[in-house]
């Protein structure tokens, strides 16, 4: 059902990862002989995290968000300081449980939408019953 298990804090000052970066884009077609070297390091914190003090990593459990490119076992970078808006992928708390869904705000009310046709949309009876725990900003997808 897309339940989030074990959010963990990324400590301020902690480097998520510093890896080598290629100086040129890598073609998905034919390889280029100019891509035989790397051009230094890149700090993934700078590219993946906007606010380290409100950022968490959560592991995805389930397949309800596969249509959004979020698969079982992926990790989401979630910012708790962002304002959720229509279309955001959010971590929501419903009946005391965390779930990952796309937030839809309609004239008829709020809907938490799965991105897999095997799962029904969740109509939120009252906005007071809904807590948005955070907004997903990136998906670290295993290949």
């Amino acid at each position: 059902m897309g339940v989030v298990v074990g959010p963990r804090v990324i400590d301020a000052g902690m480097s998520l990862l510093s890896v080598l970066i290629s100086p040129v884009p890598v073609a998905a077609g034919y390889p280029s002989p100019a891509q035989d070297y790397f051009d230094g390091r890149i700090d993934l914190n700078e590219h993946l995290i906007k606010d380290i003090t409100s950022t968490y990593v959560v592991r995805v459990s389930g397949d309800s968000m596969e249509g959004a490119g979020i698969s079982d076992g992926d990790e989401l970078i979630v910012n708790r300081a962002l304002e959720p808006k229509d279309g955001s992928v959010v971590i929501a708390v419903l009946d005391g449980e965390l779930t990952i869904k796309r937030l839809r705000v309609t004239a008829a009310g709020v809907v938490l939408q799965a991105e897999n046709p095997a799962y029904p949309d969740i109509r939120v009876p009252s906005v007071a019953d809904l807590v948005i725990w955070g907004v997903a900003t990136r998906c670290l997808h295993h290949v």
Side-chain angles (χ1 to χ4, degrees):
M1 178 172 172
V3 174
V4 179
V5 177
R8 54 187 177 165
V9 178
I10 298 175
D11 295 325
M14 177 182 137
S15 178
L16 183 61
L17 195 54
S18 175
V19 296
L20 290 171
I21 183 169
S22 172
V24 294
V26 177
Y30 295 103
S32 167
Q35 298 169 355
D36 290 340
Y37 67 96
F38 287 86
D39 193 35
R41 295 200 172 270
I42 183 173
D43 183 355
L44 291 179
N45 287 321
E46 293 176 22
H47 296 277
L48 300 177
I49 299 172
K50 298 262 189 261
D51 181 2
I52 194 105
T53 61
S54 61
T55 299
Y56 294 77
V57 173
V58 297
R59 181 163 290 134
V60 176
S61 174
D63 62 354
S64 72
M65 294 301 290
E66 282 187 346
I70 302 170
S71 300
D72 185 56
D74 287 352
E75 292 180 326
L76 296 179
I77 296 177
V78 178
N79 188 329
R80 296 200 65 197
L82 291 178
E83 189 72 29
K85 58 185 180 190
D86 181 54
S88 296
V89 173
V90 299
I91 311 300
V93 182
L94 278 177
D95 299 325
E97 292 190 32
L98 294 170
T99 187
I100 303 167
K101 297 290 182 275
R102 188 168 304 278
L103 180 66
R104 292 295 181 197
V105 181
T106 68
V110 176
V111 175
L112 295 174
Q113 180 183 43
E115 294 281 347
N116 181 334
Y119 295 86
D121 292 344
I122 301 169
R123 300 212 178 275
V124 180
S126 167
V127 177
D129 297 334
L130 178 65
V131 174
I132 301 297
W133 189 86
V135 176
T137 59
R138 300 275 190 221
C139 178
L140 305 177
H141 185 74
H142 298 272
V143 294

